[in-house]
Amino acid sequence: MESYLNENFGDVKAKNSSEEALQRWRKLCWVVKNPKRRFRFTANLSKRFEARAIRRSNQEKFRLAVLVSQAALQFIHGLSSDYTPPKEVTAAGFQICADELGSIVEGHDFKKLKIHGGLQSIAGKLSTSITNGISTADDALNRRKEIYGINKFTETKVPGFWVFVWEALHDMTLMILAVCAFVSLLVGIIMEGWPKGAHDGLGIVASILLVVFVTATSDYRQSLQFKDLDTEKKKITVQVTRDGQRQKISIYDLVPGDLVHLAIGDQVPADGLFISGFSLLINESSLTGESEPVHVNAENPFLLSGTKVQDGSCKMLVTTVGMRTQWGKLMATLSEGGDDETPLQVKLNGVATIIGKLGLFFAAVTFAVLVQGLFSRKLQEGSHWSWSGDEALEILEFFAVAVTIVVVAVPEGLPLAVTLSLAFAMKKMMHDKALVRHLAACETMGSATSICSDKTGTLTTNHMTLVKACICGKIKEVSSTEETSSFCSEIPDFAVRILLQSIFNNTGGEIVRNIDDKIEILGTPTEAALLEFGLLLGGDFQAEQQASKIVKVEPFNSAKKQMGVVLEIPGVGFRAHSKGASEIVLAACDKFIDSNGDVVALDEASINHLKETIDNFASEALRTLCLAYMELGSEFSAESPLPSKGYTCIAIVGIKDPVRPGVKESVAICKSAGISVRMVTGDNINTAKAIAKECGILTDEGVAIEGPVFREKSEEELQELIPKIQVMARSSPMDKHILVKHLRTGLEEVVAVTGDGTNDAPALHEADIGLAMGIAGTEVAKESADVIIMDDNFSTIVTVGKWGRSIYVNIQKFVQFQLTVNIVALIVNFSSACLTGNAPLTAVQLLWVNMIMDTLGALALATEPPNDDLMKRSPVGRKGNFISNVMWRNIIGQSLYQFVIIWFLQTRGKAFFHLDGEDSDLILNTLIFNSFVFCQVFNEINSREMEKINVFKGILRNHVFVAVITCTVIFQIIIIQFLGTFANTYPLTMQQWIGSILLGFLGMPIAAALKMIPVE
């Protein structure tokens, strides 16, 4: 079976499956009772084609708009605006309407922009300031929202409960049974009158309704869970200036007129115009499919919602929001495209198809055998030409039994159990600070064999403090105000001035006053630590920034490992500042500031002293940075690149970032679970090794390597080296990508990778599971990831792994349980029909059994929470069989036992229970039905553990399981004792109850004995 599934249903991968693979498995699933339900949680491929068409039209439209606008610019002089804003717009205090604004940005319309007076004039017409932003006083915000709309996209609403009821009724087999019930009612009432003749038909109708309502309730609850997760996924905050103060707000609260601050890795939250910024590169591929990034500046100021900041930073004026943007229209279509189906869903669709085909065959043969038995009897009696209503009803009952065999045999619940388990796990994981973006990631994480983790913020706390500094050759601890001020007094004034200029100008952070009028440091933890040090030195951020003019900025990125800025200083000229990885920036220096404050050449002794300082800081697990500057004279062009050498070293600083509590234990759990953990960081190798040893990642046998060395290795060397690598320092995003690719393809490992920066996107995309950081991660990284770790904590990654394993095992348990019921129900009805001429289980009884194994079984077994034992077994890996030999052993053993019990009852039941009299056949069939149901109840308990004998451990903690078992037993008692006329049962005595429960219970010691049989 596994080879058939891999061959026909194995093309669908956990990530990046081809459209052909997604189409192919759908065509193979032709035994489907209810397509609406079966394919509800699969991708809507037609909507995806639609989204692609929108992207193509956007690409053409924007390209054309740019060409038209550029041509129009030649004829623009002397044109005046004939635009008149609508009355409601002017009444609200604005001078331009939403449609006019939308046409300017979306159409890249330079002409209209010029006619309206440019950026300043547009800001004025929007009643905003390009320095202080909008006013939030009184009802100003509400007026804006009324005129310009809100920044939300049209989303598909969750269908109501009755829609799910209607979809559940579309089950083909249930519809056929409903027709059977109707005919049965009609014939029964004609033959025997009301109410006696209606019992059989009403019994089937009641069973159908029960199945429909239980199914609809389960599906409705699942859809609500997915809706909650979807809402959580879309939560994005942005930095804006309102009332002259910087603040964070939700992307949904943005209005036209807002000033938004964007940095590398951010998503542009609305359409708008560029105000100011540096080296801004925008990736528009999400909107247009065009991979070439676009330079945005004062000459090309148009920013489109949904695009990503690939490089640089800027301040933008929001002009258009929500469904008025092209991104809004595209998102509305994309949201209907849905998530890709998971490999397990597809495989279980394959299992359902195989068993469905068998079920159809058995159902047809059963019906033929039963009808042939009736014909044979009538031939013997010589009455084959005369047919009574009872005999017509008998044939109808045979047909109903055959259809119900199909109901039981086609395990429609198998693929849906995956969705149920994933929905349950995703909801719980959200409480554990992990937000799953793609369903398949939950499943894949359970098979993970390797984790490549970042250091900063994941293994460490990301609360950085500058604790040591080497300035003018002096090294001192500077973690408190007293230490800093005493250190400051020992350093020459010139060195302090140049250091403060470097800290406050060459930064990606800012010091602002927040809403409470308190000083707040914005930026990455590293930037915040440096800015805090600048404040401790007595610096003034605003004064330093106003003292010079920034001419050029090269933002930090993980490939260069440094950032730089060029300042124009009155009376001095141009000065470049550089900051970044100590050894890289130091290699670009040929001078340093000595203890007298003089700039002197770097000799060998000084270089060795500085390198030794870097090594000492790093061996204390400190993150080291080097700050340097260079005089550029009186001429510099903003188009020129920053110098690569000739700098003067100002200082080397050591920043402390402590290891997170619990990381060492989590790494040990991973190792015991057979998952290897590797640290991949951009930091100094000594810092990385010190932290890796503290976390328990780096062992005596392991290798720590630097990115530049790793890059030089040949394919053969990499094949031998990669299994031993435990730490990679000074790595570039490409190094991480190569490592992941080799682990996946060369060593066939299932790899989980963490990332937070824009440049991590390729590795996150390449990995089996991409894990983005929720706090430090950029929007680009989050969008490329499968799971977002909301607290940036490595321990949460281990929790995700545990949940992944739990899902995999839970679905295996459910499959084992359902296949056992399938096999027994099929064989029992088929063999009875062939050998005795009648089926012991009626249509109503089979429908009840179907609900126990399908919806209720999935609820009970697929929602089992994870336990610590899961992390003590080896991972499944890439090549593990889903239906394992252990499962086949349990399925075959249990099926044999249940078949023997039912066959024994059919042949020896009357003697065993001392049954005689006219109702003995009905009582025997009731006993067979009751014993069969209790076999399933106890087998459900057995299925909680596939290999362990103790199946009761933690059973009371799983409230859903206890509730399902309790409800099943109570309802079984009601069916037998009180609903006999509808369910074809007879009330049993206490002795008969105990007997049938004991026969079911015997399955437990049988299961325990089976678990002692060793399998490979």
Side-chain angles (χ1 to χ4, degrees), residues 543-611:
E544 282 292 345
Q545 291 230 316
Q546 284 159 14
S548 56
K549 181 189 168 190
I550 295 176
V551 177
K552 184 179 178 70
V553 173
E554 278 192 6
F556 179 87
N557 73 47
S558 45
K560 296 182 296 195
K561 305 247 179 287
Q562 58 183 310
M563 69 179 292
V565 63
V566 176
L567 306 176
E568 187 177 3
I569 304 160
V572 176
F574 294 95
R575 183 179 288 160
H577 282 278
S578 180
K579 171 182 80 186
S582 301
E583 55 270 40
I584 292 170
V585 176
L586 185 61
C589 294
D590 56 12
K591 298 178 278 297
F592 79 110
I593 304 171
D594 69 4
S595 53
N596 301 318
D598 299 324
V599 175
V600 294
L602 267 174
D603 55 20
E604 201 172 328
S606 307
I607 290 171
N608 290 339
H609 170 68
L610 291 171
K611 282 184 176 175

Side-chain angles (χ1 to χ4, degrees), residues 8 21 42 53 121 161 273 346 360 418 528 622 680 752 754 782 828 876:
N8 293 284
T42 55
S121 178
F161 174 70
L273 294 167
V346 174
L360 276 175
V418 181
L622 300 181
V680 183
T754 71
K782 287 177 192 174
V828 164
V876 177

